[in-house]
Amino acid sequence: VSQPAIRVLNPQVDGEYYLRLNVKDAAGREDRSEIYFTVQDGTVRIPDFDHENPAWVENAVVYGVIPFAIGTPAFRAITNQLDSLADLGINALWLAPVNVSPIEDYGYAVVDYFELNPRYGTKEDFLRMVQEAHARGIRILMDFVPNHTSDQHPYFRDARVNGPDSNYWNFYARDEVGNPTHYFSWENLPN
């Protein structure tokens, strides 16, 4: 696509629709975005995300999964349990954080938001888990941690080393003397 806009024909049947755009540039970098919209009485409408849920949420039966507690490697262990979970009526799995984090952490001290924790399996294992879940009508919800990082995250380390000269200094909440504040009393989780 070399034009600034892509036009999609309006669906003719009322319901919820999900649109995914995958973009790959000349350097091979990829990005993806997804949105849903509704068609009601032939009119397309973007829902009010602050006050409306997708229809599937109203009947969701969500099962929380702590990946490291379900088996090793976690993504394969979860995949192996999908039939049993579907038999229980589960239609959404809520995964505790699966990004790279320190070994002793539960997953909330994120070191790398763009990589999966290798202790849980490979990217292929993760993709297979998602595909197998979707084949059973089970959605995957991922716990995302945007309000703090690990103290081992490259941005925090840079801010600690370079102080106010760091490009990431203002990424972190600080007290009146410039020290980073922390989530609860956990020193490993700067806000």
Side-chain angles (χ1 to χ4, degrees):
V1 175
S2 60
Q3 57 215 55
I6 299 172
R7 295 180 189 259
V8 178
L9 296 176
N10 291 348
Q12 300 302 307
V13 178
D14 285 0
E16 286 185 357
Y17 292 87
Y18 294 80
L19 183 64
R20 179 181 295 157
L21 176 64
N22 296 305
V23 178
K24 187 174 186 178
D25 68 11
R29 296 173 297 211
E30 297 183 48
D31 197 7
R32 179 173 67 196
S33 182
E34 187 171 306
I35 191 168
Y36 87 95
F37 60 92
T38 62
V39 175
Q40 188 172 12
D41 299 325
T43 302
V44 175
R45 182 176 66 82
I46 301 293
D48 176 355
F49 298 119
D50 290 336
H51 300 99
E52 296 179 67
N53 295 321
W56 72 267
V57 170
E58 302 303 325
N59 297 310
V61 179
V62 181
Y63 183 80
V65 177
I66 301 167
F68 66 78
I70 202 164
T72 305
F75 299 142
R76 288 184 191 172
I78 294 166
T79 302
N80 292 339
Q81 295 299 319
L82 290 173
D83 285 332
S84 298
L85 294 168
D87 288 346
L88 290 171
I90 304 300
N91 58 17
L93 295 182
W94 174 16
L95 297 181
V98 296
N99 298 101
V100 175
S101 63
I103 290 175
E104 68 280 357
D105 185 73
Y106 189 79
Y108 288 92
V110 178
V111 174
D112 187 341
Y113 288 96
F114 299 100
E115 291 296 332
L116 297 170
N117 194 325
R119 295 189 308 274
Y120 298 162
T122 65
K123 288 180 182 181
E124 291 77 19
D125 294 335
F126 181 81
L127 181 59
R128 181 171 175 261
M129 176 193 69
V130 171
Q131 290 170 334
E132 293 289 332
H134 288 175
R136 291 163 177 80
I138 298 173
R139 294 173 184 270
I140 301 292
L141 309 175
M142 296 180 64
D143 197 336
F144 177 66
V145 188
N147 63 316
H148 59 264
T149 68
S150 167
D151 59 354
Q152 297 177 32
H153 190 282
Y155 291 177
F156 185 76
R157 287 183 168 183
D158 185 273
R160 184 175 16 202
V161 169
N162 297 309
D165 292 333
S166 169
N167 290 331
Y168 310 110
W169 178 260
N170 290 327
F171 279 32
Y172 294 92
R174 299 185 179 279
D175 64 20
E176 58 281 346
V177 296
N179 295 318
T181 60
H182 295 84
Y183 191 63
F184 294 128
S185 61
W186 299 327
E187 294 295 315
N188 67 320
L189 298 176
N191 292 325

